[in-house]
PDB file of all heavy atoms in Angstrom:
ATOM      1  N   GLN A 293      87.825 -80.437  33.513  1.00 97.00           N
ATOM      2  CA  GLN A 293      88.184 -81.325  32.402  1.00 97.00           C
ATOM      3  C   GLN A 293      89.341 -82.214  32.815  1.00 97.00           C
ATOM      4  O   GLN A 293      90.246 -81.773  33.535  1.00 97.00           O
ATOM      5  CB  GLN A 293      88.546 -80.517  31.158  1.00 97.00           C
ATOM      6  CG  GLN A 293      87.360 -79.773  30.563  1.00 97.00           C
ATOM      7  CD  GLN A 293      87.694 -79.107  29.236  1.00 97.00           C
ATOM      8  OE1 GLN A 293      88.799 -78.629  29.041  1.00 97.00           O
ATOM      9  NE2 GLN A 293      86.732 -79.097  28.324  1.00 97.00           N
ATOM     10  N   LEU A 294      89.292 -83.468  32.366  1.00 98.00           N
ATOM     11  CA  LEU A 294      90.321 -84.441  32.688  1.00 98.00           C
ATOM     12  C   LEU A 294      90.944 -84.950  31.390  1.00 98.00           C
ATOM     13  O   LEU A 294      90.226 -85.390  30.495  1.00 98.00           O
ATOM     14  CB  LEU A 294      89.720 -85.608  33.481  1.00 98.00           C
ATOM     15  CG  LEU A 294      88.942 -85.224  34.750  1.00 98.00           C
ATOM     16  CD1 LEU A 294      88.347 -86.459  35.404  1.00 98.00           C
ATOM     17  CD2 LEU A 294      89.828 -84.479  35.714  1.00 98.00           C
ATOM     18  N   GLN A 295      92.270 -84.879  31.310  1.00 98.00           N
ATOM     19  CA  GLN A 295      92.987 -85.291  30.102  1.00 98.00           C
ATOM     20  C   GLN A 295      93.965 -86.400  30.463  1.00 98.00           C
ATOM     21  O   GLN A 295      94.927 -86.179  31.202  1.00 98.00           O
ATOM     22  CB  GLN A 295      93.726 -84.105  29.492  1.00 98.00           C
ATOM     23  CG  GLN A 295      94.486 -84.423  28.216  1.00 98.00           C
ATOM     24  CD  GLN A 295      93.565 -84.765  27.051  1.00 98.00           C
ATOM     25  OE1 GLN A 295      92.503 -84.163  26.877  1.00 98.00           O
ATOM     26  NE2 GLN A 295      93.966 -85.744  26.257  1.00 98.00           N
ATOM     27  N   GLN A 296      93.731 -87.578  29.919  1.00 98.00           N
ATOM     28  CA  GLN A 296      94.562 -88.736  30.235  1.00 98.00           C
ATOM     29  C   GLN A 296      95.714 -88.883  29.256  1.00 98.00           C
ATOM     30  O   GLN A 296      95.618 -88.492  28.096  1.00 98.00           O
ATOM     31  CB  GLN A 296      93.722 -90.019  30.201  1.00 98.00           C
ATOM     32  CG  GLN A 296      92.602 -90.045  31.213  1.00 98.00           C
ATOM     33  CD  GLN A 296      91.761 -91.297  31.095  1.00 98.00           C
ATOM     34  OE1 GLN A 296      90.550 -91.255  31.234  1.00 98.00           O
ATOM     35  NE2 GLN A 296      92.378 -92.435  30.841  1.00 98.00           N
ATOM     36  N   SER A 297      96.796 -89.481  29.744  1.00 97.00           N
ATOM     37  CA  SER A 297      97.919 -89.796  28.875  1.00 97.00           C
ATOM     38  C   SER A 297      98.618 -91.048  29.403  1.00 97.00           C
ATOM     39  O   SER A 297      98.521 -91.373  30.585  1.00 97.00           O
ATOM     40  CB  SER A 297      98.900 -88.626  28.811  1.00 97.00           C
ATOM     41  OG  SER A 297      99.392 -88.318  30.097  1.00 97.00           O
ATOM     42  N   GLY A 298      99.319 -91.709  28.498  1.00 94.00           N
ATOM     43  CA  GLY A 298     100.028 -92.915  28.883  1.00 94.00           C
ATOM     44  C   GLY A 298     100.065 -93.913  27.742  1.00 94.00           C
ATOM     45  O   GLY A 298      99.311 -93.774  26.764  1.00 94.00           O
ATOM     46  N   PRO A 299     100.925 -94.913  27.834  1.00 94.00           N
ATOM     47  CA  PRO A 299     101.075 -95.897  26.748  1.00 94.00           C
ATOM     48  C   PRO A 299      99.865 -96.797  26.592  1.00 94.00           C
ATOM     49  O   PRO A 299      99.190 -97.127  27.571  1.00 94.00           O
ATOM     50  CB  PRO A 299     102.312 -96.706  27.178  1.00 94.00           C
ATOM     51  CG  PRO A 299     102.406 -96.517  28.643  1.00 94.00           C
ATOM     52  CD  PRO A 299     101.864 -95.169  28.941  1.00 94.00           C
ATOM     53  N   LEU A 308     101.835-100.883  34.437  1.00 98.00           N
ATOM     54  CA  LEU A 308     100.980 -99.978  33.670  1.00 98.00           C
ATOM     55  C   LEU A 308     101.004 -98.623  34.385  1.00 98.00           C
ATOM     56  O   LEU A 308     100.784 -98.564  35.609  1.00 98.00           O
ATOM     57  CB  LEU A 308      99.566-100.553  33.647  1.00 98.00           C
ATOM     58  CG  LEU A 308      98.421 -99.828  32.942  1.00 98.00           C
ATOM     59  CD1 LEU A 308      97.296-100.826  32.627  1.00 98.00           C
ATOM     60  CD2 LEU A 308      97.864 -98.690  33.743  1.00 98.00           C
ATOM     61  N   SER A 309     101.280 -97.549  33.644  1.00 98.00           N
ATOM     62  CA  SER A 309     101.330 -96.211  34.245  1.00 98.00           C
ATOM     63  C   SER A 309     100.534 -95.228  33.395  1.00 98.00           C
ATOM     64  O   SER A 309     100.808 -95.076  32.205  1.00 98.00           O
ATOM     65  CB  SER A 309     102.779 -95.727  34.353  1.00 98.00           C
ATOM     66  OG  SER A 309     103.519 -96.553  35.217  1.00 98.00           O
ATOM     67  N   LEU A 310      99.576 -94.558  34.022  1.00 98.00           N
ATOM     68  CA  LEU A 310      98.756 -93.556  33.343  1.00 98.00           C
ATOM     69  C   LEU A 310      98.689 -92.291  34.192  1.00 98.00           C
ATOM     70  O   LEU A 310      98.790 -92.360  35.414  1.00 98.00           O
ATOM     71  CB  LEU A 310      97.337 -94.087  33.122  1.00 98.00           C
ATOM     72  CG  LEU A 310      97.175 -95.321  32.240  1.00 98.00           C
ATOM     73  CD1 LEU A 310      95.724 -95.794  32.244  1.00 98.00           C
ATOM     74  CD2 LEU A 310      97.626 -95.042  30.819  1.00 98.00           C
ATOM     75  N   THR A 311      98.515 -91.160  33.536  1.00 98.00           N
ATOM     76  CA  THR A 311      98.311 -89.913  34.257  1.00 98.00           C
ATOM     77  C   THR A 311      97.021 -89.255  33.800  1.00 98.00           C
ATOM     78  O   THR A 311      96.535 -89.503  32.687  1.00 98.00           O
ATOM     79  CB  THR A 311      99.478 -88.941  34.065  1.00 98.00           C
ATOM     80  OG1 THR A 311      99.607 -88.645  32.669  1.00 98.00           O
ATOM     81  CG2 THR A 311     100.763 -89.514  34.593  1.00 98.00           C
ATOM     82  N   CYS A 312      96.487 -88.411  34.661  1.00 98.00           N
ATOM     83  CA  CYS A 312      95.230 -87.719  34.416  1.00 98.00           C
ATOM     84  C   CYS A 312      95.427 -86.268  34.824  1.00 98.00           C
ATOM     85  O   CYS A 312      95.519 -85.961  36.025  1.00 98.00           O
ATOM     86  CB  CYS A 312      94.128 -88.385  35.229  1.00 98.00           C
ATOM     87  SG  CYS A 312      92.516 -87.587  35.168  1.00 98.00           S
ATOM     88  N   ALA A 313      95.539 -85.379  33.848  1.00 98.00           N
ATOM     89  CA  ALA A 313      95.737 -83.957  34.117  1.00 98.00           C
ATOM     90  C   ALA A 313      94.398 -83.281  34.352  1.00 98.00           C
ATOM     91  O   ALA A 313      93.461 -83.460  33.571  1.00 98.00           O
ATOM     92  CB  ALA A 313      96.466 -83.301  32.954  1.00 98.00           C
ATOM     93  N   ILE A 314      94.331 -82.477  35.414  1.00 98.00           N
ATOM     94  CA  ILE A 314      93.082 -81.833  35.837  1.00 98.00           C
ATOM     95  C   ILE A 314      93.114 -80.352  35.503  1.00 98.00           C
ATOM     96  O   ILE A 314      94.090 -79.662  35.822  1.00 98.00           O
ATOM     97  CB  ILE A 314      92.885 -82.006  37.353  1.00 98.00           C
ATOM     98  CG1 ILE A 314      92.860 -83.489  37.721  1.00 98.00           C
ATOM     99  CG2 ILE A 314      91.616 -81.295  37.818  1.00 98.00           C
ATOM    100  CD1 ILE A 314      93.059 -83.742  39.204  1.00 98.00           C
ATOM    101  N   ILE A 327      89.147 -90.579  40.979  1.00 98.00           N
ATOM    102  CA  ILE A 327      88.879 -92.010  40.830  1.00 98.00           C
ATOM    103  C   ILE A 327      89.580 -92.569  39.601  1.00 98.00           C
ATOM    104  O   ILE A 327      89.751 -91.862  38.606  1.00 98.00           O
ATOM    105  CB  ILE A 327      87.358 -92.220  40.624  1.00 98.00           C
ATOM    106  CG1 ILE A 327      86.516 -91.334  41.538  1.00 98.00           C
ATOM    107  CG2 ILE A 327      86.983 -93.698  40.741  1.00 98.00           C
ATOM    108  CD1 ILE A 327      86.688 -91.559  42.973  1.00 98.00           C
ATOM    109  N   TRP A 328      89.929 -93.854  39.647  1.00 98.00           N
ATOM    110  CA  TRP A 328      90.294 -94.611  38.449  1.00 98.00           C
ATOM    111  C   TRP A 328      89.334 -95.781  38.301  1.00 98.00           C
ATOM    112  O   TRP A 328      89.034 -96.491  39.270  1.00 98.00           O
ATOM    113  CB  TRP A 328      91.731 -95.122  38.527  1.00 98.00           C
ATOM    114  CG  TRP A 328      92.770 -94.073  38.286  1.00 98.00           C
ATOM    115  CD1 TRP A 328      93.482 -93.384  39.229  1.00 98.00           C
ATOM    116  CD2 TRP A 328      93.200 -93.581  37.013  1.00 98.00           C
ATOM    117  NE1 TRP A 328      94.336 -92.489  38.619  1.00 98.00           N
ATOM    118  CE2 TRP A 328      94.188 -92.600  37.254  1.00 98.00           C
ATOM    119  CE3 TRP A 328      92.873 -93.871  35.681  1.00 98.00           C
ATOM    120  CZ2 TRP A 328      94.844 -91.913  36.232  1.00 98.00           C
ATOM    121  CZ3 TRP A 328      93.516 -93.188  34.666  1.00 98.00           C
ATOM    122  CH2 TRP A 328      94.496 -92.220  34.935  1.00 98.00           C
ATOM    123  N   THR A 362      98.710 -98.453  42.781  1.00 98.00           N
ATOM    124  CA  THR A 362      99.064 -97.236  43.500  1.00 98.00           C
ATOM    125  C   THR A 362      98.440 -96.054  42.758  1.00 98.00           C
ATOM    126  O   THR A 362      98.618 -95.920  41.543  1.00 98.00           O
ATOM    127  CB  THR A 362     100.584 -97.021  43.570  1.00 98.00           C
ATOM    128  OG1 THR A 362     101.204 -98.164  44.163  1.00 98.00           O
ATOM    129  CG2 THR A 362     100.911 -95.793  44.403  1.00 98.00           C
ATOM    130  N   ILE A 363      97.713 -95.225  43.469  1.00 98.00           N
ATOM    131  CA  ILE A 363      97.172 -93.976  42.918  1.00 98.00           C
ATOM    132  C   ILE A 363      97.838 -92.840  43.681  1.00 98.00           C
ATOM    133  O   ILE A 363      97.763 -92.785  44.913  1.00 98.00           O
ATOM    134  CB  ILE A 363      95.646 -93.912  43.053  1.00 98.00           C
ATOM    135  CG1 ILE A 363      94.990 -95.020  42.224  1.00 98.00           C
ATOM    136  CG2 ILE A 363      95.129 -92.553  42.605  1.00 98.00           C
ATOM    137  CD1 ILE A 363      93.471 -95.103  42.380  1.00 98.00           C
ATOM    138  N   ASN A 364      98.490 -91.959  42.940  1.00 97.00           N
ATOM    139  CA  ASN A 364      99.197 -90.849  43.572  1.00 97.00           C
ATOM    140  C   ASN A 364      98.742 -89.516  43.021  1.00 97.00           C
ATOM    141  O   ASN A 364      98.590 -89.364  41.804  1.00 97.00           O
ATOM    142  CB  ASN A 364     100.701 -90.977  43.336  1.00 97.00           C
ATOM    143  CG  ASN A 364     101.367 -91.919  44.311  1.00 97.00           C
ATOM    144  OD1 ASN A 364     100.961 -92.017  45.471  1.00 97.00           O
ATOM    145  ND2 ASN A 364     102.375 -92.619  43.850  1.00 97.00           N
ATOM    146  N   PRO A 365      98.588 -88.522  43.889  1.00 97.00           N
ATOM    147  CA  PRO A 365      98.348 -87.162  43.416  1.00 97.00           C
ATOM    148  C   PRO A 365      99.685 -86.479  43.163  1.00 97.00           C
ATOM    149  O   PRO A 365     100.693 -86.796  43.809  1.00 97.00           O
ATOM    150  CB  PRO A 365      97.639 -86.518  44.604  1.00 97.00           C
ATOM    151  CG  PRO A 365      98.223 -87.220  45.793  1.00 97.00           C
ATOM    152  CD  PRO A 365      98.542 -88.626  45.360  1.00 97.00           C
ATOM    153  N   ASP A 366      99.695 -85.577  42.206  1.00 97.00           N
ATOM    154  CA  ASP A 366     100.866 -84.737  41.944  1.00 97.00           C
ATOM    155  C   ASP A 366     100.396 -83.291  42.007  1.00 97.00           C
ATOM    156  O   ASP A 366      99.838 -82.770  41.049  1.00 97.00           O
ATOM    157  CB  ASP A 366     101.460 -85.064  40.577  1.00 97.00           C
ATOM    158  CG  ASP A 366     102.731 -84.278  40.283  1.00 97.00           C
ATOM    159  OD1 ASP A 366     102.943 -83.207  40.898  1.00 97.00           O
ATOM    160  OD2 ASP A 366     103.512 -84.732  39.427  1.00 97.00           O
ATOM    161  N   LYS A 369     101.780 -80.592  39.454  1.00 97.00           N
ATOM    162  CA  LYS A 369     101.259 -80.632  38.084  1.00 97.00           C
ATOM    163  C   LYS A 369      99.729 -80.697  38.064  1.00 97.00           C
ATOM    164  O   LYS A 369      99.137 -80.748  36.983  1.00 97.00           O
ATOM    165  CB  LYS A 369     101.828 -81.826  37.334  1.00 97.00           C
ATOM    166  CG  LYS A 369     103.340 -81.756  37.132  1.00 97.00           C
ATOM    167  CD  LYS A 369     103.847 -82.960  36.356  1.00 97.00           C
ATOM    168  CE  LYS A 369     105.351 -82.861  36.137  1.00 97.00           C
ATOM    169  NZ  LYS A 369     105.888 -84.043  35.411  1.00 97.00           N
ATOM    170  N   ASN A 370      99.108 -80.704  39.215  1.00 97.00           N
ATOM    171  CA  ASN A 370      97.654 -80.833  39.342  1.00 97.00           C
ATOM    172  C   ASN A 370      97.141 -82.029  38.538  1.00 97.00           C
ATOM    173  O   ASN A 370      96.300 -81.900  37.625  1.00 97.00           O
ATOM    174  CB  ASN A 370      96.919 -79.560  38.909  1.00 97.00           C
ATOM    175  CG  ASN A 370      95.516 -79.492  39.468  1.00 97.00           C
ATOM    176  OD1 ASN A 370      95.244 -79.980  40.569  1.00 97.00           O
ATOM    177  ND2 ASN A 370      94.604 -78.882  38.715  1.00 97.00           N
ATOM    178  N   GLN A 371      97.630 -83.186  38.864  1.00 97.00           N
ATOM    179  CA  GLN A 371      97.225 -84.395  38.169  1.00 97.00           C
ATOM    180  C   GLN A 371      97.271 -85.580  39.129  1.00 97.00           C
ATOM    181  O   GLN A 371      97.774 -85.472  40.256  1.00 97.00           O
ATOM    182  CB  GLN A 371      98.121 -84.662  36.958  1.00 97.00           C
ATOM    183  CG  GLN A 371      99.573 -84.948  37.303  1.00 97.00           C
ATOM    184  CD  GLN A 371     100.450 -85.076  36.051  1.00 97.00           C
ATOM    185  OE1 GLN A 371     100.174 -84.478  34.993  1.00 97.00           O
ATOM    186  NE2 GLN A 371     101.509 -85.860  36.148  1.00 97.00           N
ATOM    187  N   LEU A 372      96.708 -86.682  38.688  1.00 97.00           N
ATOM    188  CA  LEU A 372      96.828 -87.911  39.460  1.00 97.00           C
ATOM    189  C   LEU A 372      97.340 -89.004  38.546  1.00 97.00           C
ATOM    190  O   LEU A 372      97.228 -88.908  37.321  1.00 97.00           O
ATOM    191  CB  LEU A 372      95.502 -88.315  40.112  1.00 97.00           C
ATOM    192  CG  LEU A 372      94.340 -88.771  39.246  1.00 97.00           C
ATOM    193  CD1 LEU A 372      93.417 -89.647  40.078  1.00 97.00           C
ATOM    194  CD2 LEU A 372      93.563 -87.587  38.729  1.00 97.00           C
ATOM    195  N   SER A 373      97.914 -89.995  39.150  1.00 98.00           N
ATOM    196  CA  SER A 373      98.501 -91.084  38.370  1.00 98.00           C
ATOM    197  C   SER A 373      97.970 -92.425  38.845  1.00 98.00           C
ATOM    198  O   SER A 373      97.478 -92.567  39.969  1.00 98.00           O
ATOM    199  CB  SER A 373     100.032 -91.076  38.487  1.00 98.00           C
ATOM    200  OG  SER A 373     100.421 -91.359  39.824  1.00 98.00           O
ATOM    201  N   LEU A 374      98.074 -93.386  37.947  1.00 98.00           N
ATOM    202  CA  LEU A 374      97.711 -94.770  38.245  1.00 98.00           C
ATOM    203  C   LEU A 374      98.893 -95.655  37.891  1.00 98.00           C
ATOM    204  O   LEU A 374      99.440 -95.542  36.803  1.00 98.00           O
ATOM    205  CB  LEU A 374      96.496 -95.206  37.422  1.00 98.00           C
ATOM    206  CG  LEU A 374      96.181 -96.707  37.415  1.00 98.00           C
ATOM    207  CD1 LEU A 374      95.677 -97.147  38.782  1.00 98.00           C
ATOM    208  CD2 LEU A 374      95.157 -97.052  36.335  1.00 98.00           C
ATOM    209  N   GLN A 375      99.277 -96.511  38.831  1.00 98.00           N
ATOM    210  CA  GLN A 375     100.270 -97.538  38.533  1.00 98.00           C
ATOM    211  C   GLN A 375      99.678 -98.889  38.903  1.00 98.00           C
ATOM    212  O   GLN A 375      99.139 -99.052  40.002  1.00 98.00           O
ATOM    213  CB  GLN A 375     101.555 -97.317  39.338  1.00 98.00           C
ATOM    214  CG  GLN A 375     102.401 -96.177  38.839  1.00 98.00           C
ATOM    215  CD  GLN A 375     103.769 -96.184  39.524  1.00 98.00           C
ATOM    216  OE1 GLN A 375     104.616 -97.010  39.226  1.00 98.00           O
ATOM    217  NE2 GLN A 375     103.957 -95.266  40.439  1.00 98.00           N
ATOM    218  N   LEU A 376      99.779 -99.823  37.979  1.00 98.00           N
ATOM    219  CA  LEU A 376      99.303-101.174  38.226  1.00 98.00           C
ATOM    220  C   LEU A 376     100.451-102.130  37.891  1.00 98.00           C
ATOM    221  O   LEU A 376     100.907-102.189  36.757  1.00 98.00           O
ATOM    222  CB  LEU A 376      98.079-101.487  37.357  1.00 98.00           C
ATOM    223  CG  LEU A 376      97.338-102.785  37.642  1.00 98.00           C
ATOM    224  CD1 LEU A 376      96.738-102.762  39.049  1.00 98.00           C
ATOM    225  CD2 LEU A 376      96.248-103.014  36.606  1.00 98.00           C
ATOM    226  N   TYR A 387      90.948 -97.622  30.422  1.00 98.00           N
ATOM    227  CA  TYR A 387      91.104 -97.048  31.758  1.00 98.00           C
ATOM    228  C   TYR A 387      90.633 -95.595  31.740  1.00 98.00           C
ATOM    229  O   TYR A 387      90.978 -94.831  30.834  1.00 98.00           O
ATOM    230  CB  TYR A 387      92.566 -97.128  32.199  1.00 98.00           C
ATOM    231  CG  TYR A 387      92.988 -98.523  32.573  1.00 98.00           C
ATOM    232  CD1 TYR A 387      93.235 -99.479  31.585  1.00 98.00           C
ATOM    233  CD2 TYR A 387      93.110 -98.910  33.902  1.00 98.00           C
ATOM    234  CE1 TYR A 387      93.597-100.783  31.919  1.00 98.00           C
ATOM    235  CE2 TYR A 387      93.488-100.205  34.255  1.00 98.00           C
ATOM    236  CZ  TYR A 387      93.720-101.134  33.258  1.00 98.00           C
ATOM    237  OH  TYR A 387      94.079-102.421  33.592  1.00 98.00           O
ATOM    238  N   TYR A 388      89.847 -95.243  32.761  1.00 98.00           N
ATOM    239  CA  TYR A 388      89.303 -93.899  32.880  1.00 98.00           C
ATOM    240  C   TYR A 388      89.657 -93.284  34.235  1.00 98.00           C
ATOM    241  O   TYR A 388      89.605 -93.975  35.261  1.00 98.00           O
ATOM    242  CB  TYR A 388      87.771 -93.912  32.793  1.00 98.00           C
ATOM    243  CG  TYR A 388      87.185 -94.345  31.479  1.00 98.00           C
ATOM    244  CD1 TYR A 388      86.794 -95.659  31.267  1.00 98.00           C
ATOM    245  CD2 TYR A 388      86.981 -93.423  30.453  1.00 98.00           C
ATOM    246  CE1 TYR A 388      86.223 -96.055  30.075  1.00 98.00           C
ATOM    247  CE2 TYR A 388      86.406 -93.808  29.250  1.00 98.00           C
ATOM    248  CZ  TYR A 388      86.035 -95.129  29.072  1.00 98.00           C
ATOM    249  OH  TYR A 388      85.470 -95.507  27.872  1.00 98.00           O
ATOM    250  N   CYS A 389      89.964 -91.997  34.231  1.00 98.00           N
ATOM    251  CA  CYS A 389      89.977 -91.249  35.482  1.00 98.00           C
ATOM    252  C   CYS A 389      88.658 -90.470  35.561  1.00 98.00           C
ATOM    253  O   CYS A 389      88.028 -90.197  34.540  1.00 98.00           O
ATOM    254  CB  CYS A 389      91.167 -90.319  35.590  1.00 98.00           C
ATOM    255  SG  CYS A 389      91.290 -89.053  34.307  1.00 98.00           S
ATOM    256  N   ALA A 390      88.253 -90.142  36.759  1.00 98.00           N
ATOM    257  CA  ALA A 390      86.993 -89.420  36.956  1.00 98.00           C
ATOM    258  C   ALA A 390      87.032 -88.699  38.288  1.00 98.00           C
ATOM    259  O   ALA A 390      87.889 -88.971  39.140  1.00 98.00           O
ATOM    260  CB  ALA A 390      85.797 -90.377  36.908  1.00 98.00           C
ATOM    261  N   GLY A 408      87.583 -88.722  32.235  1.00 98.00           N
ATOM    262  CA  GLY A 408      88.573 -88.512  31.196  1.00 98.00           C
ATOM    263  C   GLY A 408      88.125 -89.192  29.910  1.00 98.00           C
ATOM    264  O   GLY A 408      87.095 -89.887  29.884  1.00 98.00           O
ATOM    265  N   GLN A 409      88.908 -89.018  28.872  1.00 97.00           N
ATOM    266  CA  GLN A 409      88.514 -89.543  27.560  1.00 97.00           C
ATOM    267  C   GLN A 409      88.738 -91.054  27.436  1.00 97.00           C
ATOM    268  O   GLN A 409      88.254 -91.685  26.509  1.00 97.00           O
ATOM    269  CB  GLN A 409      89.284 -88.822  26.430  1.00 97.00           C
ATOM    270  CG  GLN A 409      90.707 -89.303  26.183  1.00 97.00           C
ATOM    271  CD  GLN A 409      91.740 -88.687  27.108  1.00 97.00           C
ATOM    272  OE1 GLN A 409      91.419 -88.205  28.200  1.00 97.00           O
ATOM    273  NE2 GLN A 409      93.000 -88.707  26.684  1.00 97.00           N
ATOM    274  N   GLY A 410      89.455 -91.617  28.403  1.00 98.00           N
ATOM    275  CA  GLY A 410      89.725 -93.052  28.360  1.00 98.00           C
ATOM    276  C   GLY A 410      91.016 -93.371  27.628  1.00 98.00           C
ATOM    277  O   GLY A 410      91.376 -92.690  26.658  1.00 98.00           O
ATOM    278  N   THR A 411      91.705 -94.402  28.095  1.00 98.00           N
ATOM    279  CA  THR A 411      92.924 -94.896  27.461  1.00 98.00           C
ATOM    280  C   THR A 411      92.823 -96.401  27.331  1.00 98.00           C
ATOM    281  O   THR A 411      92.686 -97.101  28.339  1.00 98.00           O
ATOM    282  CB  THR A 411      94.177 -94.556  28.290  1.00 98.00           C
ATOM    283  OG1 THR A 411      94.265 -93.152  28.479  1.00 98.00           O
ATOM    284  CG2 THR A 411      95.431 -95.075  27.601  1.00 98.00           C
ATOM    285  N   VAL A 413      94.366 -99.756  27.089  1.00 98.00           N
ATOM    286  CA  VAL A 413      95.652-100.368  27.403  1.00 98.00           C
ATOM    287  C   VAL A 413      95.572-101.852  27.078  1.00 98.00           C
ATOM    288  O   VAL A 413      94.715-102.568  27.601  1.00 98.00           O
ATOM    289  CB  VAL A 413      96.039-100.167  28.881  1.00 98.00           C
ATOM    290  CG1 VAL A 413      97.367-100.854  29.172  1.00 98.00           C
ATOM    291  CG2 VAL A 413      96.109 -98.686  29.220  1.00 98.00           C
TER     292      VAL A 413
END
Side-chain angles (χ1 to χ4, degrees):
Chain A
Q293 293 187 325
L294 306 177
Q295 181 67 39
Q296 298 177 219
S297 59
L308 179 159
S309 296
L310 298 174
T311 60
C312 175
I314 302 164
I327 318 298
W328 284 99
T362 304
I363 296 176
N364 278 326
D366 183 338
K369 296 181 179 178
N370 200 32
Q371 64 185 28
L372 68 156
S373 65
L374 168 70
Q375 286 190 74
L376 189 64
Y387 286 76
Y388 295 95
C389 60
Q409 80 277 22
T411 302
V413 178

